[in-house]
């Protein structure tokens, strides 16, 4: 059994938030105390500016000999990633009863709700040669594109997430396709022909980042953001 109450982007931004939860044993009967346990991660795909496109929780259960799993969470859709075992959805539950139980079981629960509980709000804006620009109009442009990233703490997030998670934001640029790259306050490294830009924020910290890219034919594969304990 696993809840995603206390946890925590494909499109232009990817955000992952990782959590671990243990499945408590049932009450009343005294048994071995061995029960399924799970790991989980929340994935969200955002648009060029930071608006949610889609989100899902992916859970990995170590069954520890169990023949069934009852997961506690509210999902718009559940996808079995392991086998053909059907899911029975209840009021806030997802039940799986296995004919032949695997050692480890994976499923995806599609839901937007955890996105509202992330410890930061991430938003992006852009300029071209110092003039505010729409992201959709930047592909192939010539000049200096500035990518402005605003990381603002979310007061609606739970205390554990707000004070125990760090944020890492990373972008990649092909060295062969750019003329210049500046990212004040970031770690910038060359890996093969890729320039990697890495920013970090500590728990509860507000941060504002800027990436300036000079190019004759601008392209941007997006920003990857991880929020982890």
């Amino acid at each position: 059994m696993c809840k995603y109450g206390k946890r925590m982007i494909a499109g232009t931004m990817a955000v992952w938030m990782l959590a671990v939860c243990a499945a408590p044993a049932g009450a009343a009967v005294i048994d071995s105390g061995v029960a399924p346990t799970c790991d989980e991660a929340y994935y969200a795909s955002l648009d060029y500016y930071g608006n949610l496109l889609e989100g899902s929780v992916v859970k990995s259960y170590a069954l520890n000999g169990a023949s069934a799993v009852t997961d506690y969470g509210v999902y718009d859709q559940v996808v079995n990633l392991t086998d053909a075992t059907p899911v029975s959805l209840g009021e806030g539950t997802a039940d799986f009863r296995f004919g032949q139980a695997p050692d480890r079981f994976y499923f995806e629960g599609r839901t937007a709700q955890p996105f509202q509980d992330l410890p930061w709000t991430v938003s992006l804006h852009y300029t071209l040669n110092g003039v505010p620009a729409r992201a959709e109009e930047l592909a192939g442009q010539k000049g200096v594109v500035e990518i402005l990233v605003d990381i603002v703490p979310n007061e609606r997030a739970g205390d554990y997430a707000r004070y125990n998670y760090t944020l890492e934001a990373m972008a990649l640029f092909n060295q062969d396709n750019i003329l210049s790259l500046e990212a004040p306050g970031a770690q910038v490294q060359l890996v093969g022909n890729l320039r990697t830009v890495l920013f970090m924020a500590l728990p509860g910290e507000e941060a504002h980042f800027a990436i300036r890219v000079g190019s004759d034919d601008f392209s941007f594969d997006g920003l990857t953001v991880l929020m982890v304990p």
Side-chain angles (χ1 to χ4, degrees), residues 82-160:
T82 302
D83 54 27
T85 301
V87 59
S88 177
L89 295 176
E91 199 64 38
T93 61
D95 291 293
F96 298 89
R97 299 289 181 265
F98 304 102
Q100 183 174 357
D103 292 332
R104 185 167 289 274
F105 175 66
Y106 299 84
F107 80 88
E108 175 186 8
R110 296 177 183 171
T111 174
Q113 178 55 43
F115 181 73
Q116 311 302 326
D117 300 325
L118 295 174
W120 284 277
T121 297
V122 181
S123 60
L124 288 83
H125 296 87
Y126 308 84
T127 69
L128 175 60
N129 298 324
V131 179
R134 295 173 55 86
E136 298 88 340
E137 300 170 353
L138 290 174
Q141 291 288 348
K142 181 178 181 179
V144 177
V145 173
E146 187 172 38
I147 304 164
L148 304 170
V149 185
D150 296 312
I151 309 292
V152 179
N154 179 11
E155 295 182 356
R156 294 177 297 178
D159 287 346
Y160 179 82

Side-chain angles (χ1 to χ4, degrees), residues 178-222:
I178 63 175
L179 301 175
S180 62
L181 176 62
E182 296 180 357
Q187 297 182 30
V188 180
Q189 298 182 353
L190 181 62
V191 181
N193 67 333
L194 297 178
R195 288 275 181 186
T196 65
V197 177
L198 177 64
F199 293 100
M200 297 188 67
L202 297 175
E205 180 181 12
E206 179 174 339
H208 303 276
F209 307 136
I211 306 173
R212 290 184 284 273
V213 183
S215 176
D216 287 331
D217 184 11
F218 178 76
S219 65
F220 180 44
D221 291 333

